[in-house]
């Protein structure tokens, strides 16, 4: 996958999360967890873009680690919403799948970058 393709994919993931959070039930739990999800998921693409502008390989790896953490956190908040009964798996399943795929790509990228140091 090219850098530009992954930039588009992480941006699309953020946009889908924005739409998902907007449709959450109006409860305190959904508001608090939804805000956390929104912050983490939109951070994935923003931090990936920052990684693409890294000044060195160690800087690139460090920035990708942030992407990894934010993506994993996004999955956590999605799972929490499902476990709390606030959303059905059918509502969040595609987002979970896409987040997991992005996470796998990032982890593989980190491993590849480390092996080239």
């Amino acid at each position: 996958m090219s850098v530009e393709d992954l930039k588009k994919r992480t941006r699309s993931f953020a946009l889908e999360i924005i739409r998902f959070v907007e449709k959450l039930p109006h409860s305190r739990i959904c508001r608090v967890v939804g805000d956390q999800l929104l912050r983490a998921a939109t951070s994935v693409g923003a931090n990936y873009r920052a990684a693409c502008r890294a000044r060195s390989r160690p800087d690139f790896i460090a920035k990708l680690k942030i992407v990894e953490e934010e993506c994993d956190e996004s999955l956590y908040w999605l799972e929490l919403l499902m476990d709390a009964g606030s959303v059905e798996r059918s509502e969040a399943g595609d987002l979970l799948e896409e987040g997991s795929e992005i996470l796998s790509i990032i982890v593989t990228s980190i491993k590849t970058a480390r092996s080239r140091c």
Side-chain angles (χ1 to χ4, degrees), residues 52-100:
C52 293
R53 294 182 167 273
R55 296 181 196 152
S56 64
R57 188 168 308 278
D59 187 35
F60 176 71
I61 293 167
K63 289 180 186 321
L64 278 186
K65 289 296 292 174
I66 295 168
V67 176
E68 177 187 11
E69 291 169 9
E70 295 294 338
C71 194
D72 188 55
E73 183 178 332
S74 299
L75 296 173
Y76 172 80
W77 296 123
L78 282 168
E79 291 165 359
L80 197 61
L81 284 168
M82 288 187 306
D83 293 346
S86 297
V87 296
E88 298 294 322
R89 180 164 287 282
S90 60
E91 297 172 281
D94 289 345
L95 291 171
L96 277 170
E97 185 176 325
E98 179 64 1
S100 294

Side-chain angles (χ1 to χ4, degrees), residues 5-20:
D5 288 341
L6 192 51
K7 281 182 183 178
K8 288 177 187 173
R9 195 164 174 180
T10 57
R11 181 180 165 91
S12 177
F13 179 66
L15 288 169
E16 289 303 315
I17 290 290
I18 289 168
R19 292 179 185 111
F20 175 80

Side-chain angles (χ1 to χ4, degrees), residues 25-38:
H26 296 290
S27 70
R28 182 170 183 228
I29 292 167
C30 288
R31 187 180 73 251
V32 171
V33 176
D35 286 349
Q36 292 292 102
L37 170 60
L38 192 59

